[in-house]
Amino acid sequence: MTTSRRKFLTSISMLTATTALPLHAFSFGTKKKLKVALVGTGIRGTTFWGKRLVDEYTDILEFVGLSDINPSRLEYGKKFIGAKCPTFVDFDEMMKTTDPDLLIVTTKDSTHHEFIIKGLEMGCDVLTEKPLTIDETKCQAILEAEKKSSKNLIVGFNYRWSPYATEIKKLLKDKSIGKLVSVDFHWYLNTYHGASYFRRWHGEMNSGGSLWVHKATHHFDLLNWWINSEPSEVFAYGDLEFYGSNGPFRGKNCRSCDHKSECNFYWDITKDKRSKELYVDHEHEDGYLRDNCLFRENIDIYDKMSAQIKYANKVVVNYSLTTYSPFEGWRVSFNGTEGRLEAWLDIPYNENIKIDQAEMHTREMEQTKEMEVDKQPIILHNLWKDHETLSVNVERNGHGGGDGRLQDKIFKTPEIEDEFGRGAGIRDGAMSILIGIAARRSIEQGKAIKIANLTELTPKVKRS
């Protein structure tokens, strides 16, 4: 077994160290390279979990199979990734034919559970993109499958690994504001990024579970990690008041719409080379339109969201998500017994934003090695003292630099202990989505929802 291979095996056990379920080391046999299969050749599958693995880690792994329900996009994905392996429309056939060591799941959120469970049952370790799944029933099925299996499941959370988020974790870990008592966290999606969710299948509850689950799982995972505890109860409000049937007009999609000249959200997908090649060129296979109308009648998720989250350690969080803000950014404030910590990114009137709002999400998703780095403040204010402004490195590419660090930790430096506990296992994945699922149930039922009533998991005062 090669040194790099041993590193990878070690990294998997470290990455899953936060799960409360029985751990077993990822066992890939004695092959020289790890056999990797991927299901779902959309944007995340072809880039971060596809092309980047081929570009950066060919010494440790090789793709042995790619699968997707769209055969045309599947062949394009193979070329884009640079893989030299067979492709399969039939997932079961791929698994039986290629016998992979690791399955990567990057399909539509509502189908994650199907492939996760099948992978575990077929004796394969599984890595899934966030969110873990979209409702409590599917989540429980995953928990049971992983418990029965001799294999492991890990969740690809990346925001934890950004330098700015890590500095916040360090300050809280060091008790810079004493005992943490409450948090205010507000995320703003601009009219480019926010609208993109409502153009796609994410705008339909049964496909993405709403942005409470698909998008906010990132934010809830950060909160769980920063607070170092697990959520116990959620009360939420939400409504659909801007997109969907609220719009002044509608059409089949942007390209064929009669209202191009009067709609501020008009987007010509054919001028976006990557989107055209990944989606438009293959929509004849399955009818999926990437430039769907934002005001179509079947949009049924929320576009305004607010929640109060109580944690097992008694910390209380006020959270909101705005989906049509003039700018893209976020703010968070932590209140402790000895002071207050304030942080924010990309608030245009708080800093000199050099990136056009239309390019914000594109830059966030970029996987280039050349990172754009600048300094941004974190405000530390202790009781009876003047505030202190800390200058922290911020990277603009790959989810704040988190994408590359997550994979590099797995493949390059697993032997170095991570003092901040950034690895995410199945329990982390479950706890992040259960907040969003509880928020949905709270809106539907008009009452607070206890996390312990959703699945077999009982919230812990501290993350293990």
Side-chain angles (χ1 to χ4, degrees), residues 443-460:
I443 294 168
E444 294 165 1
Q445 300 174 28
K447 65 178 184 180
I449 302 296
K450 293 188 180 298
I451 297 295
N453 291 340
L454 297 175
T455 68
E456 66 183 23
L457 298 179
T458 301
K460 294 183 176 181

Side-chain angles (χ1 to χ4, degrees), residues 86 139 421:
C139 182

Side-chain angles (χ1 to χ4, degrees), residues 164-419:
Y164 194 78
T166 299
E167 184 61 27
I168 293 173
K169 175 68 174 178
K170 181 179 185 299
L171 290 164
L172 294 172
K173 187 171 182 284
D174 292 344
K175 305 293 183 182
S176 64
I177 56 172
K179 179 184 176 182
L180 183 63
V181 294
S182 66
V183 185
D184 297 304
F185 195 18
H186 307 289
W187 202 285
Y188 316 101
L189 295 171
N190 66 22
T191 48
Y192 300 94
H193 187 189
S196 74
Y197 292 112
F198 292 83
R199 296 185 197 279
R200 297 177 276 170
W201 51 259
H202 304 78
E204 299 169 23
M205 193 74 74
N206 62 1
S207 291
S210 83
L211 296 184
W212 277 122
V213 175
H214 177 82
K215 181 60 181 176
T217 186
H218 266 316
H219 315 154
F220 298 145
D221 178 67
L222 279 174
L223 285 167
N224 297 346
W225 175 60
W226 280 332
I227 295 170
N228 193 34
S229 185
E230 293 179 343
S232 61
E233 188 173 284
V234 179
F235 184 84
Y237 290 104
D239 213 334
L240 177 63
E241 296 180 340
F242 187 83
Y243 298 108
S245 59
N246 299 288
F249 36 68
R250 57 192 49 85
K252 180 182 179 182
N253 63 342
C254 277
R255 277 167 290 162
S256 63
C257 188
D258 295 330
H259 305 282
K260 296 177 183 178
S261 61
E262 53 187 325
C263 182
N264 291 324
F265 288 96
Y266 170 64
W267 174 50
D268 188 350
I269 190 174
T270 64
K271 292 184 178 179
D272 183 328
K273 183 176 184 296
R274 172 76 165 126
S275 294
K276 181 181 180 302
E277 292 179 348
L278 183 60
Y279 298 109
V280 176
D281 292 350
H282 317 293
E283 62 189 28
H284 64 278
E285 298 275 10
D286 55 14
Y288 175 58
L289 300 176
R290 177 61 179 79
D291 61 338
N292 248 321
C293 181
L294 293 167
F295 306 120
R296 65 192 186 279
E297 297 282 353
N298 61 337
I299 289 176
D300 61 353
I301 67 170
Y302 310 105
D303 57 22
K304 77 170 185 181
M305 289 153 278
S306 178
Q308 189 168 57
I309 309 161
K310 183 179 180 180
Y311 277 76
N313 65 354
K314 298 185 179 181
V315 170
V316 174
V317 172
N318 291 298
Y319 170 85
S320 71
L321 177 61
T322 301
T323 61
Y324 44 92
S325 169
F327 61 85
E328 180 100 352
W330 54 274
R331 305 174 189 270
V332 65
S333 301
F334 301 86
N335 298 301
T337 55
E338 297 176 21
R340 177 177 169 89
L341 197 67
E342 297 184 11
W344 63 85
L345 280 182
D346 300 324
I347 308 300
Y349 41 82
N350 286 355
E351 55 184 279
N352 182 22
I353 299 292
K354 300 177 182 178
I355 306 172
D356 182 81
Q357 284 294 318
E359 298 297 322
M360 291 289 286
H361 182 55
T362 300
R363 182 65 61 88
E364 178 188 30
M365 297 293 288
E366 283 181 353
Q367 302 296 324
T368 56
K369 292 182 180 180
E370 295 74 26
M371 289 288 178
E372 179 185 338
V373 182
D374 60 18
K375 298 279 189 178
Q376 293 299 329
I378 292 178
I379 308 300
L380 174 60
H381 201 161
N382 292 115
L383 300 181
W384 326 119
K385 297 179 182 179
D386 291 336
H387 75 272
E388 179 183 359
T389 301
L390 309 175
S391 185
V392 180
N393 280 341
V394 171
E395 296 178 6
R396 299 295 181 182
N397 302 3
H399 290 89
D403 282 354
R405 283 179 172 81
L406 169 60
Q407 287 184 345
D408 285 349
K409 176 61 179 175
I410 296 172
F411 299 113
K412 291 184 177 180
T413 59
E415 72 282 1
I416 300 177
E417 183 179 354
D418 179 24
E419 63 177 307

